[in-house]
Amino acid sequence: MRYQAQVRLKGFPPQNATFNRKTDAKRWIQQTEAAIREGRHFKTTESKRRTLAKLIDRYLRDVLPTKPKGMNAQGRQLTWWKKELGCRSLADVTPSLLAETRDKLHQGRQPATVVRYMAALSHAFTVAVNEWEWLEDNPMRKVRKPKEPRGRVRFLGDDERHSLLSACKASDCKQPYPVVVLALSTGMRQSEIMGLKRNDIDLKRGYITLHETKNGERRAVPLVGHAKQLIQQLAKVRRLDTDLLFFSEAKPSAPIFIRSPWGKALREAGIEDFKFHDLRHTAASRTKRDNQPRLYTLADNI
């Protein structure tokens, strides 16, 4: 003998199931009715019906193209998860399974890399919870992330700073000097400086508007002192074939590639173990030391 159970609630599609025992059928009816009223039932059904591979495929198709900066890296990270756990239903992708896979991921990779892999999948789960209603909760939320080591911090001393600026100023290539001054004055990233266009700079008000930033938000950066003077000099010579402030002579539509003159300036200044991003650390360290707003203090004292 078999028992057919059916739940019919207004506004929801009917649900059916078959049981060998009448008590099981009654229990299922009670649990299903409660889950539907609380908004849990269909998410559970979706999580059993969908696989992680389907979730990742939809995310790669619909969501990742809206994040062009992280498209390549996150696509590669999600593909790894798909290869490892893609055949599992979403209901079976538990925190314990993710933790086990995390440990496998940790083999041969740095903690920071593992954290980025986990973050990529976590965001996909979040979208599936909030927008697609395929899950009730993000299982990655309960998985511990590996502890990242303290980041490297290197900044210039006063003598090193003057030596570097002197070497940049003496360089055959004239653009690295204003680039370095701007980095020290504002704390801007190299990509932000290289992407500057003339229309981004308001010399009258003394502001730079950054449209493309690391976190995707537009922000304004004060431009004062020696940095402003250098930008004013650059603005006097305007080329019609590019809007870039720091452009390549060989290809004006592309930003200048300063790796070679930057490396030469470091060698001539006798500075070791220093990267362009460390100029940002230098700007921050001087702000903390002077206990004054960085953008004004540095620009006036370079």
Side-chain angles (χ1 to χ4, degrees), residues 16-301:
N16 301 281
T18 303
F19 300 91
N20 292 325
R21 299 194 309 167
K22 188 175 182 179
T23 54
D24 293 339
K26 287 183 176 181
R27 185 184 302 111
W28 177 84
I29 289 172
Q30 293 173 350
Q31 293 174 347
T32 302
E33 284 185 351
I36 291 176
R37 294 183 192 280
E38 295 171 9
R40 296 181 288 106
H41 175 72
F42 294 103
K43 293 178 184 178
T44 303
T45 301
E46 289 292 335
S47 68
K48 292 180 179 178
R49 191 162 61 90
R50 311 276 186 175
T51 63
L52 181 61
K54 288 185 178 180
L55 184 152
I56 291 175
D57 286 341
R58 182 174 176 181
Y59 185 89
L60 292 175
R61 184 185 69 244
D62 298 343
V63 180
L64 200 56
T66 66
K67 306 167 65 180
K69 287 188 176 180
M71 208 167 166
N72 293 332
Q74 291 183 25
R76 182 175 63 255
Q77 293 156 1
L78 289 170
T79 300
W80 186 89
W81 286 105
K82 179 181 176 181
K83 180 181 176 182
E84 294 294 324
L85 302 175
C87 61
R88 302 291 189 108
S89 72
L90 294 177
D92 292 334
V93 181
T94 60
S96 60
L97 178 63
L98 290 172
E100 180 181 334
T101 313
R102 172 208 60 199
D103 294 340
K104 180 178 180 181
L105 177 63
H106 210 329
Q107 298 174 8
R109 293 181 177 88
Q110 295 297 323
T113 302
V114 177
V115 169
R116 288 178 176 83
Y117 271 73
M118 294 175 67
L121 184 59
S122 180
H123 188 259
F125 279 135
T126 299
V127 173
V129 171
N130 296 335
E131 299 184 15
W132 306 340
E133 296 187 342
W134 285 7
L135 289 163
E136 288 189 53
D137 193 16
N138 178 355
M140 188 64 83
R141 187 174 57 84
K142 300 179 181 179
V143 182
R144 179 180 55 81
K145 296 180 179 66
K147 187 175 181 180
E148 298 184 54
R150 272 191 163 183
R152 170 186 175 279
V153 178
R154 168 77 161 92
F155 51 86
L156 294 173
D158 289 340
D159 292 341
E160 288 180 317
R161 179 168 54 87
H162 288 299
S163 298
L164 177 60
L165 288 171
S166 298
C168 288
K169 198 169 187 178
S171 174
D172 295 334
C173 181
K174 300 304 179 185
Q175 293 195 16
Y177 178 67
V179 167
V180 172
V181 170
L182 196 59
L184 287 169
S185 301
T186 64
M188 291 167 60
R189 297 178 175 87
Q190 182 178 358
S191 60
E192 294 170 344
I193 296 175
M194 294 295 100
L196 279 179
K197 297 181 179 179
R198 297 180 187 276
N199 292 336
D200 299 333
I201 301 169
D202 188 338
L203 290 172
K204 186 176 181 180
R205 297 175 57 198
Y207 272 93
I208 296 174
T209 301
L210 298 179
H211 301 282
E212 297 291 334
T213 61
K214 186 175 181 180
N215 60 9
E217 296 180 358
R218 184 180 299 170
R219 79 173 190 271
V221 179
L223 177 65
V224 294
H226 187 44
K228 184 177 180 179
Q229 294 171 3
L230 291 173
I231 299 303
Q232 285 174 327
Q233 293 174 11
L234 289 173
K236 292 178 181 178
V237 181
R238 184 180 182 91
R239 291 189 55 152
L240 299 178
D241 54 356
T242 183
D243 290 330
L244 291 171
L245 187 65
F246 301 105
F247 53 85
S248 168
E249 292 290 345
K251 187 179 179 182
S253 59
I256 183 176
F257 189 62
I258 66 166
R259 181 174 180 178
S260 179
W262 165 253
K264 183 179 179 181
L266 288 176
R267 290 192 297 272
E268 291 182 354
I271 298 174
E272 299 179 351
D273 186 30
F274 194 80
K275 301 177 181 178
F276 191 94
H277 189 77
D278 295 329
L279 295 173
R280 190 169 163 83
H281 297 158
T282 302
S285 70
R286 286 176 61 82
T287 302
K288 185 175 181 180
R289 184 189 67 187
D290 298 338
N291 196 28
Q292 296 182 26
R294 175 212 331 154
L295 296 169
Y296 293 91
T297 302
L298 283 181
D300 291 338
N301 291 339

